[in-house]
Amino acid sequence: MQVLWLGASLLIAAVSVHASPADRSPWFQHCVSTCLDNATLCEERLAQRDPIARQVDDTFGWTCLDECRQFCIWQYTNISLTKWNFTYKFFGRWPLIRYFGMLEPASSLASLGNLISSILGFIYLRTRIGSRSIFLPCYYIMFTLTVITWLSSFLFHIRDLVLFERMDYYGAFLTIFIPLFWFSCRTFYPNRMGCFALTSGAILACFVGDVYYMEMVKFDHSLHLALCTVLTVVQVAVWAGWIALKWRQLPQTRSYTLVFLGLAVGPLVAKYREWHPPVMWTFDAHSIFHILTIPCWFLWWWSISKDDLFLNSFVSPAIKKVD
């Protein structure tokens, strides 16, 4: 009877994943409800965790409801794999083994890897340019944005709290602006401050406007995704045009090309892996995407360090910094 009930639930999910995903199926809801009714069993399961997982779960508020959902996800998955050799996403993600209390351990550690890569890259940049570069304010702004982005991603993949979800959501949105902001810096700052202020203001207005609309008017993911797509297309067009025009004159165009090609690999592979179950129930498409972008952030700062010497040679001597 249990298998028949699960079979009906799977059929419903198969017909319309978006309208009735596996986590909304009657079988799953009943499983979670039954688990919650047995509070003693839930507490015993929580007590069996290793000390690190227990500390992480206590810090981020892992409850019996979360534990029951995780238990039922694997019950559902094991039966569906055995009977139909098929599995489903739950709450928008594939079933993943939790290591050290992390909900999505591979994505969380990969986000940390991106953060470390950016920090090391920024240290390399500062070592190369010292304190003489007129573009230091731009560098610190971009570095701050990357730290916010990857710290938010790291926390969200440990535990999908609403606060962390919003931090990750808008942190990722901020990342889209970084190449566009740097293009504005290297093109207009500081000799054409009016143009720089205009482009920077437009970037800030776009970000603030999107956040305001999403939080105060309507959380419209489709509209947000469309905006991200438009911004990505604009940036690709701007940078591709500049690289094509300057390819023969400026060797740093090769460095930027390497960075952007590297950043493109992650989304393409993730798109291909999107509907494939996780490798070893650990590495899903999203985590692979994050893993592949890890070296790109060091390459980003490395490319800027090569560009910095060239750019500073064109800054007006009257506004150059003096040691």
Side-chain angles (χ1 to χ4, degrees), residues 41-96:
L41 181 61
C42 177
E43 292 173 0
E44 289 177 354
R45 190 178 294 113
L46 290 173
Q48 293 172 358
R49 299 166 298 168
D50 62 85
I52 297 178
R54 189 180 304 118
Q55 182 62 48
V56 171
D57 285 348
D58 291 345
T59 301
F60 291 94
W62 188 263
T63 65
C64 267
L65 174 60
D66 300 307
E67 186 67 21
C68 285
R69 284 175 173 173
Q70 192 72 4
F71 171 76
C72 292
I73 284 172
W74 285 108
Q75 290 288 98
Y76 197 117
T77 299
N78 290 333
I79 294 174
S80 63
L81 285 173
T82 301
K83 296 297 181 180
W84 297 280
N85 193 31
F86 198 83
T87 189
Y88 293 86
K89 289 185 177 183
F90 295 83
F91 304 103
R93 62 173 66 89
W94 291 107
L96 295 168

Side-chain angles (χ1 to χ4, degrees), residues 100-252:
F100 306 115
M102 293 183 285
L103 191 62
E104 299 175 287
S107 291
S108 184
L109 293 177
S111 298
L112 184 61
N114 278 277
L115 175 60
I116 293 172
S117 176
S118 185
I119 291 173
L120 293 177
F122 186 72
I123 292 173
Y124 174 82
L125 170 74
R126 294 290 285 111
T127 302
R128 288 289 302 272
I129 68 172
S131 59
R132 296 183 63 89
S133 176
I134 197 68
F135 297 98
L136 279 176
C138 295
Y139 299 153
Y140 277 108
I141 290 173
M142 290 190 293
F143 177 66
T144 301
L145 295 182
T146 59
V147 169
I148 292 173
T149 295
W150 292 113
L151 183 60
S152 300
S153 179
F154 171 67
L155 292 172
F156 173 66
H157 292 305
I158 291 177
R159 183 78 169 88
D160 57 347
L161 300 175
V162 174
L163 174 61
F164 294 163
E165 179 184 26
R166 289 297 196 269
M167 287 171 60
D168 178 65
Y169 201 81
Y170 298 124
F173 188 45
L174 275 174
T175 305
I176 297 177
F177 290 108
I178 290 177
L180 194 59
F181 175 72
W182 171 236
F183 190 86
S184 173
C185 286
R186 74 175 311 284
T187 305
F188 303 124
Y189 185 86
N191 290 328
R192 288 176 283 178
M193 289 300 293
C195 294
F196 174 72
L198 182 64
T199 54
S200 299
I203 290 172
L204 181 61
C206 183
F207 175 76
V208 173
D210 180 73
V211 173
Y212 176 81
Y213 183 85
M214 296 286 283
E215 296 298 328
M216 300 299 179
V217 181
K218 179 183 178 182
F219 196 86
D220 191 334
H221 178 72
S222 297
L223 180 62
H224 177 80
L225 185 60
L227 177 60
C228 292
T229 302
V230 170
L231 289 171
T232 301
V233 170
V234 169
Q235 294 197 79
V236 169
V238 168
W239 276 100
W242 177 80
I243 289 172
L245 288 173
K246 303 294 183 179
W247 182 263
R248 292 187 177 182
Q249 298 101 310
L250 304 179
Q252 59 265 42

